[in-house]
Amino acid sequence: MCEHTANPGPLGLFAFGVTTTLLNFQNAHVVPNTGSGAVILATGMAFGGLSQVIAGILEYCAGHTFPCVAFVSYGAFWLSYVAINLLVLAGIAAPDQGSLAAYLGMWGLFTFCMFLGTVRLQLNRAMQLLFITLAILFWLLTLGNALYAWKAPDAGKVIIYIAGVEGIFVGLLAVYMATMDIMELPRMLWIIMPDEIERLRKGKFPFEHNQHHEHSDESSEVHLESVASSSVDLHPELHTEEDDHEHHH
């Protein structure tokens, strides 16, 4: 075992943020659909899936329950996303729009429960914003797929496009948070709460607040001076032959 351990939080946040941004670039039509699916699937499997699970296991070893649950769960989401698409591409099984809506809706519910955890644990405002906007993203995708199931494809396209724009914000927010952690700076420089300054003075990263097994102050000291200065989308078009002429979202 390593005598000294690093903070795995930035790894998990970068993995989540990069893959979420890539997927929603496609949903919002920022990148062309042709050929981008392979990039999203490969990145989702290696970075969004495997890297987040590794980060979650490292958080478990450090005794941090909340980030362990978050990283392992969203890593599993990306692995399941890749698996669904591979099953479709292999011609083994293809979910209908209603099944996808239920799948995404449950992930939205899980994310909202995690958001309640950020409030209860008094995590920083950036973390709370990340989880509530991610819950909204899942529910927008749920609504978009449900509209396809209810035979309203035009409305479904609009909602999924809106979800793509909002998802880009979610992904870039996670990348920003990871960058702040790498630089050992508060995640929202324009909203520095007094209790967060005190935690930084004691060398406690935001993810570690209110956990039962925090590292000692001596081993993770942060100087206050530095502070002062989860192809084919999850859209209905990938499932039915009658929609093959439409663009993927």
Side-chain angles (χ1 to χ4, degrees):
M1 298 296 293
C2 298
E3 182 179 353
H4 302 287
T5 58
N7 176 16
L11 170 62
L13 286 169
F14 272 128
F16 171 82
V18 169
T19 47
T20 299
T21 303
L22 278 177
L23 175 61
N24 287 284
F25 275 161
Q26 191 181 66
N27 288 341
H29 309 297
V30 175
V31 297
N33 293 310
T34 305
S36 61
V39 173
I40 293 171
L41 287 180
T43 306
M45 179 173 59
F47 201 29
L50 182 60
S51 293
Q52 278 200 90
V53 170
I54 291 174
I57 293 172
L58 294 175
E59 293 283 11
Y60 171 84
C61 295
H64 303 152
T65 302
F66 184 90
C68 169
V69 173
F71 289 142
V72 172
S73 296
Y74 292 115
F77 164 78
W78 274 103
L79 293 175
S80 69
Y81 169 81
V82 172
I84 289 171
N85 283 271
L86 291 180
L87 289 172
V88 173
L89 293 174
I92 298 174
D96 58 24
Q97 294 95 321
S99 298
L100 277 177
Y103 169 76
L104 294 164
M106 290 306 299
W107 277 106
L109 176 60
F110 167 79
T111 303
F112 183 73
C113 292
M114 294 296 286
F115 163 72
L116 295 179
T118 66
V119 176
R120 177 65 181 86
L121 295 173
Q122 300 178 10
L123 301 183
N124 61 70
R125 299 296 185 268
M127 187 65 65
Q128 295 174 8
L129 179 62
L130 177 66
F131 277 93
I132 192 60
T133 53
L134 180 58
I136 293 172
L137 171 61
F138 276 122
W139 285 332
L140 284 172
L141 291 171
T142 299
L143 178 59
N145 282 273
L147 288 170
Y148 274 97
W150 297 333
K151 309 303 181 184
D154 292 338
K157 289 179 182 180
V158 173
I159 295 299
I160 290 176
Y161 173 80
I162 294 173
V165 174
E166 200 256 1
I168 292 173
F169 171 80
V170 173
L172 293 180
L173 175 60
V175 170
Y176 161 78
M177 292 167 62
T179 303
M180 292 297 100
D181 281 0
I182 287 289
M183 298 171 64
E184 298 185 352
L185 290 173
R187 287 172 175 166
M188 283 193 171
L189 294 177
W190 60 92
I191 306 178
I192 304 179
M193 309 302 291
D195 60 331
E196 187 166 345
I197 292 178
E198 183 63 24
R199 291 202 300 273
L200 287 166
R201 181 184 293 115
K202 294 180 178 179
K204 299 177 182 178
F205 285 92
F207 249 148
E208 299 173 319
H209 183 52
N210 276 6
Q211 299 294 331
H212 296 296
H213 304 285
E214 296 177 341
H215 294 299
S216 65
D217 295 345
E218 294 80 5
S219 63
S220 59
E221 181 180 0
V222 178
H223 296 294
L224 190 59
E225 303 89 79
S226 64
V227 175
S229 52
S230 227
S231 132
V232 187
D233 290 319
L234 285 178
H235 333 139
E237 287 91 340
L238 64 88
H239 316 297
T240 58
E241 294 181 357
E242 64 187 17
D243 291 328
D244 284 344
H245 65 285
E246 298 179 356
H247 292 292
H248 295 305
H249 301 285

